[in-house]
Amino acid sequence: MIKISNFTFQYNSSPNPILTNINLKIKSGEFVLLLGSSGSGKSTLLRALNGLIPHFFGGIYKGEIIIDDKNPIQYPPNQLAQKIGYIFQNPDNQLLMEKVFSELIFGLENLGFSRDVIEDRVKYQISRFNLVPILNQKTYNLSGGQKQIVALASILAMSPKILLLDEPTSELDPFARAHFLQNLFNLHATHQYTIIMIEHNIEHVIDYIDRIIYLEHGKIIFNGIPKQFFNQFAENSMIPTTSLIKLAYQVKKYENRNNNYLKNEYLPLNTQQFSSEFSDFFLARQEKILFNFQNPLNYKQECNNSTNYRLNVKNLELSYTLTIPILQNISFSGCSHEIICIMGKNGCGKTTLLKSIAGLIHPTNGTIKISIDKKENASDFQSTSQISLVFQNPSIQFYRDSVYEELDAQLLPFCNSKLERDKRIENILDFFDLKQFKLQYPRYLSLGEQQRLALGCALITEPAILLLDEPTHGMDQKQKVRLLQYIERIKEKGCLILIATHDLELVSSIASKILYLEDKKIKWQGIPQEILPYYTPFTTEINSAMNLIFQRPTPFLTVENVIEVFMDDAKECFEQNVMDVL
């Protein structure tokens, strides 16, 4: 049992409390999803539950937290480790040892377990997460997703009864995510673990959670079952939801457009429920699409003429050692006004490819040619930067004492006028909702806020080529929509954008084309509507639902795709709902 009474907390560096008067009870064995916008206090609440607040993070602490008759404030975190397991939002903050195997045994050794127990537990985690291929690798050479898996395995090896998970799947590819979550659900079902999870991508956990707690500005504004949550906030586009629930709501509105939508009608939460409820609706409208389902939507291929490129990669080979290549024979080109999404499983080389384009890794073979037309990307600057890269872990990019100084440092080489720099900084702070953090030390921001700052630092120089590594990880729905809007804006100005991502909704919404990496090479290359539904093993929840209804592969990837074809007269209303987010 977890009981939180009148809990308020304020960081020493913050002018206001991050959590205010939290009252909450969580029963043993419950699976709770903790939702809220970036900076709403979700991670702070988890830190308080496992004792990092106030033992590690200083601040003003009021109220009381009791976990199985113990107050975390009275016990150091190492004594709580066997009871409470905590997975950090950023795995780099959690991995301490040089090699993967050492990381797996580190916690168990510190808790004083015998060698036999350590061996049995570690073997089980190695098997569970298929860690044999990376067991002897150095943790700092792993991909972001691999680091996250190692962190999870090391915590589960200690067999805590309470798991606090801060976006544990944000850096995992769809297969690794499904595998991890299935193990988590099995643990919950068989061992009655108490699980409190923060997760922005909620479609994967929605069938398993018992309760949703939604925080806004440090206060609980909802505490109840998932069906009630999504029905209560169906019309609020700023509240996190799934693409399938958005589409279900739009279909119900469309069906009842001459009557008021009934809020007591629960929305379907998964593909099976959606298919069961709406099959008749879509099958009755089959005449609206071509019978053979070959690209019925009005898509256009972006220009990819290699004679008009900004980036031309030919026969590229990349390696961290002399004997083991990461990528081989990589060839593609990218034009201005184009968005290229790089996809593939964890460890396939997405980040490595971006680093090589940015000049941080030198190829062992092949060429990378960049052609920039200065006039095309003209601005008020004396010149514009060629390439900007936003890393998967944004905090490694910060080296100034305040948010303002970080942004100003990016502009200084290109703009001598302080008045002009301040104007651009204010615009970026306003767009990414960071004005209140102008004088804040960047590393004190939440991960979502750090991500927005890193994006602001990259975009403020109006680069000709923008490289983004998992840019939406840690972002709430509102900030994700604003990011997509900004990306589209700089694309129209002539920027070439390359994005390494597992975010299928992002890819489906904005990608000009996809590069899918597998077996050290580009296995598939093309527009999302051709590649995702028919070739790659990844697909969207919308696509799965429509495939189930029509019993064949379909090209529908997003809510917009379906509305455009089946409910074209509802399109304008839907677009207005999206704009309301902004």
Side-chain angles (χ1 to χ4, degrees):
M1 165 72 83
I2 297 173
K3 184 179 180 182
I4 305 174
S5 304
N6 302 318
F7 179 70
T8 297
F9 181 77
Q10 180 175 343
Y11 291 105
N12 288 330
S13 60
S14 176
N16 301 304
I18 190 69
L19 291 170
T20 305
N21 199 33
I22 300 295
N23 288 280
L24 189 63
K25 289 182 180 180
I26 297 174
K27 298 177 183 177
S28 296
E30 266 198 290
F31 195 145
V32 176
L33 182 62
L34 188 59
L35 297 178
S37 60
S38 177
S40 62
K42 304 184 300 296
S43 297
T44 298
L45 183 56
L46 293 194
R47 291 168 182 170
L49 289 173
N50 86 325
L52 286 176
I53 288 175
H55 294 295
F56 182 80
F57 295 95
I60 303 169
Y61 184 117
K62 296 179 182 178
E64 185 178 59
I65 295 177
I66 300 296
I67 301 175
D68 290 344
D69 299 324
K70 292 183 178 180
N71 189 335
I73 198 172
Q74 298 172 353
Y75 297 85
N78 65 312
Q79 291 186 23
L80 297 170
Q82 277 188 268
K83 179 182 288 290
I84 303 171
Y86 182 39
I87 307 297
F88 286 61
Q89 194 173 21
N90 180 359
D92 284 323
N93 294 337
Q94 189 151 0
L95 302 181
L96 301 173
M97 307 303 289
E98 184 181 31
K99 291 194 174 182
V100 171
F101 182 77
S102 301
E103 185 67 35
L104 294 174
I105 66 174
F106 178 75
L108 294 169
E109 287 182 333
N110 276 273
L111 292 175
F113 285 100
S114 68
R115 182 173 295 273
D116 289 342
V117 171
I118 293 174
E119 185 176 327
D120 288 343
R121 291 195 183 187
V122 169
K123 278 184 178 179
Y124 182 63
Q125 298 304 326
I126 291 170
S127 173
R128 169 186 276 168
F129 292 105
N130 191 26
L131 297 176
V132 172
I134 64 171
L135 205 56
N136 293 314
Q137 288 191 28
K138 294 179 179 179
T139 53
Y140 51 78
N141 283 338
L142 300 177
S143 71
Q146 290 171 324
K147 289 177 181 178
Q148 206 158 26
I149 291 172
V150 171
L152 294 166
S154 64
I155 290 297
L156 290 177
M158 291 183 279
S159 297
K161 287 300 180 185
I162 299 172
L163 291 176
L164 309 177
L165 309 174
D166 195 347
E167 293 200 60
T169 69
S170 61
E171 296 183 16
L172 302 183
D173 65 59
F175 286 111
R177 180 192 298 125
H179 184 61
F180 164 70
L181 289 175
Q182 192 56 58
N183 276 293
L184 189 66
F185 302 146
N186 291 340
L187 281 171
H188 178 248
T190 57
H191 300 290
Q192 287 299 296
Y193 277 54
T194 302
I195 300 174
I196 305 173
M197 176 188 286
I198 299 171
E199 183 63 70
H200 285 300
N201 300 314
I202 58 182
E203 64 268 22
H204 307 288
V205 300
I206 200 168
D207 288 335
Y208 300 92
I209 55 177
D210 301 309
R211 188 155 43 124
I212 289 178
I213 296 169
Y214 186 80
L215 292 176
E216 191 173 282
H217 303 303
K219 297 180 180 179
I220 296 174
I221 67 168
F222 180 88
N223 182 2
I225 64 173
K227 285 184 175 182
Q228 290 175 340
F229 176 80
F230 294 114
N231 272 55
Q232 180 173 333
F233 297 109
E235 292 183 283
N236 189 334
S237 54
M238 292 176 62
I239 300 292
T241 185
T242 72
S243 295
L244 204 61
I245 292 172
K246 290 177 188 175
L247 180 56
Y249 177 66
Q250 292 300 322
V251 174
K252 280 186 174 288
K253 279 183 66 177
Y254 187 82
E255 286 184 308
N256 295 280
R257 56 191 182 278
N258 296 323
N259 304 299
N260 291 326
Y261 169 68
L262 301 178
K263 284 195 173 182
N264 60 344
E265 293 181 7
Y266 284 133
L267 295 166
L269 303 185
N270 57 44
T271 55
Q272 291 289 343
Q273 292 174 13
F274 184 92
S275 173
S276 176
E277 183 163 350
F278 297 124
S279 282
D280 291 344
F281 175 86
F282 288 106
L283 291 173
R285 290 163 173 78
Q286 287 190 80
E287 72 279 359
K288 288 181 175 286
I289 59 176
L290 294 178
F291 180 76
N292 62 9
F293 283 78
Q294 293 303 307
N295 277 343
L297 310 181
N298 186 28
Y299 297 117
K300 62 179 180 179
Q301 177 87 45
E302 296 288 337
C303 167
N304 191 27
N305 186 345
S306 62
T307 63
N308 185 32
Y309 62 81
R310 277 210 158 161
L311 172 70
N312 194 30
V313 178
K314 190 172 182 179
N315 300 325
L316 189 69
E317 181 175 302
L318 298 166
S319 176
Y320 288 116
T321 68
L322 295 177
T323 57
I324 306 175
I326 303 295
L327 292 170
Q328 292 178 304
N329 197 30
I330 301 296
S331 297
F332 70 95
S333 59
C335 306
S336 56
H337 306 285
E338 191 172 30
I339 300 173
I340 300 174
C341 286
I342 305 168
M343 303 185 71
K345 295 181 181 180
N346 291 121
C348 70
K350 299 185 296 295
T351 299
T352 301
L353 181 56
L354 290 187
K355 287 180 178 178
S356 69
I357 295 169
L360 300 179
I361 299 174
H362 296 294
T364 52
N365 195 18
T367 59
I368 300 173
K369 293 183 179 179
I370 295 170
S371 175
I372 304 298
D373 182 354
K374 295 289 185 182
K375 293 180 181 179
E376 182 183 9
N377 216 32
S379 69
D380 295 333
F381 293 133
Q382 293 175 356
S383 65
T384 189
S385 61
Q386 279 198 333
I387 300 177
S388 287
L389 168 63
V390 177
F391 288 94
Q392 198 170 20
N393 175 8
S395 66
I396 65 175
Q397 298 180 236
F398 303 142
Y399 60 99
R400 299 289 181 172
D401 291 332
S402 72
V403 168
Y404 172 86
E405 290 176 274
E406 286 290 349
L407 293 166
D408 192 57
Q410 303 302 316
L411 286 174
L412 195 56
F414 306 105
C415 183
N416 292 324
S417 168
K418 187 176 186 304
L419 185 63
E420 173 64 19
R421 295 202 308 273
D422 284 347
K423 179 182 175 181
R424 289 179 174 273
I425 289 170
E426 288 300 316
N427 287 339
I428 284 289
L429 290 173
D430 184 56
F431 187 86
F432 285 107
D433 195 21
L434 292 170
K435 273 192 172 181
Q436 65 273 36
F437 305 115
K438 184 176 180 178
L439 302 179
Q440 179 79 280
Y441 181 54
R443 293 176 188 270
Y444 285 164
L445 301 176
S446 72
L447 181 58
E449 291 158 356
Q450 288 184 7
Q451 190 80 0
R452 280 144 49 197
L453 175 58
L455 286 162
C457 289
L459 294 169
I460 200 168
T461 60
E462 296 185 355
I465 299 176
L466 177 63
L467 310 175
L468 304 176
D469 196 354
E470 296 289 353
T472 59
H473 121 259
M475 277 194 170
D476 58 53
Q477 179 64 19
K478 178 181 177 181
Q479 293 302 329
K480 185 184 289 190
V481 171
R482 292 176 71 90
L483 172 64
L484 298 188
Q485 184 193 46
Y486 204 100
I487 287 175
E488 288 286 357
R489 184 188 301 173
I490 62 172
K491 171 192 168 186
E492 291 305 312
K493 288 186 175 183
C495 187
L496 166 63
I497 303 130
L498 286 87
I499 306 173
T501 183
H502 296 128
D503 190 333
L504 296 174
E505 187 175 355
L506 172 73
V507 173
S508 304
S509 300
I510 67 169
S512 306
K513 70 178 178 183
I514 293 172
L515 304 180
Y516 187 86
L517 303 181
E518 189 174 298
D519 297 329
K520 304 179 182 179
K521 63 183 181 182
I522 298 175
K523 188 169 185 179
W524 292 295
Q525 185 174 171
I527 64 173
Q529 290 72 27
E530 291 176 346
I531 298 300
L532 281 181
Y534 302 108
Y535 296 104
T536 77
F538 301 164
T539 192
T540 66
E541 194 181 25
I542 295 293
N543 187 247
S544 296
M546 298 304 286
N547 291 353
L548 189 60
I549 288 172
F550 288 103
Q551 294 296 300
R552 70 185 85 177
T554 69
F556 303 104
L557 298 175
T558 66
V559 178
E560 294 88 341
N561 294 163
V562 178
I563 288 178
E564 180 181 358
V565 172
F566 293 99
M567 299 174 284
D568 54 329
D569 52 335
K571 185 179 178 183
E572 184 177 340
C573 178
F574 174 75
E575 289 175 347
Q576 183 58 50
N577 288 342
V578 173
M579 291 304 295
D580 288 344
V581 175
L582 306 176

